[in-house]
Amino acid sequence: MNETYCYTNQQILKTSDGSLPISDLGIQRGYGIFDFFRVHHKKALFLEDHLDRLFHSAKIMRLDECITRDRLHSIIEELISLNNLGHSGMRIIVTGGDAGDGYTIQKPSIIVTGK
């Protein structure tokens, strides 16, 4: 099976190498948001609508200082290309970050995957 790539820890890497610390609030408390969108003919469908919803939710959850819209566009385009996604789906996850105290929101973790 071909290796796939993801974005996590502020870099694109092999999906098998992607990880979050166990103290991430997404793991500890389920604190985070996600969105899923379809890819058709190597193009993300209704991407602007999905990103509007994601960034709106991130603001409500106090996770809005995590990444720029332009950077997220670039990551999505790169992953579509690297993973050769013709007809597929992608998921964006934003968590509360690595919180040693298990409570306080930190710099959000961003994960983008597609298969």
Side-chain angles (χ1 to χ4, degrees):
M1 185 172 187
N2 292 337
E3 183 71 60
T4 59
Y5 295 86
C6 70
Y7 174 86
T8 189
N9 300 323
Q10 301 179 351
Q11 59 187 333
I12 291 180
L13 46 105
K14 291 180 181 178
T15 301
S16 59
D17 293 333
S19 66
L20 288 178
I22 199 163
S23 55
D24 189 285
L25 289 177
I27 296 169
Q28 290 292 321
R29 297 179 43 224
Y31 194 88
I33 57 172
F34 79 94
D35 202 307
F36 176 87
F37 55 92
R38 301 295 301 164
V39 175
H40 188 68
H41 294 296
K42 297 188 177 190
K43 180 167 175 47
L45 299 178
F46 308 107
L47 183 59
E48 295 310 315
D49 294 331
H50 287 281
L51 293 182
D52 286 346
R53 181 174 51 236
L54 181 85
F55 280 96
H56 177 75
S57 297
K59 184 174 183 174
I60 290 169
M61 298 285 291
R62 297 183 296 152
L63 303 173
D64 55 333
E65 300 296 322
C66 56
I67 194 166
T68 67
R69 194 176 187 108
D70 287 341
R71 177 70 178 128
L72 197 49
H73 269 279
S74 296
I75 291 163
I76 290 165
E77 289 174 14
E78 188 170 354
L79 289 175
I80 288 171
S81 177
L82 283 171
N83 292 326
N84 196 27
L85 301 179
H87 303 286
S88 187
M90 294 187 79
R91 177 183 296 260
I92 303 170
I93 302 167
V94 182
T95 75
D98 185 5
D101 66 3
Y103 180 76
T104 307
I105 298 169
Q106 301 297 315
K107 181 178 181 190
S109 298
I110 311 280
I111 303 147
V112 183
T113 61
K115 267 190 169 181

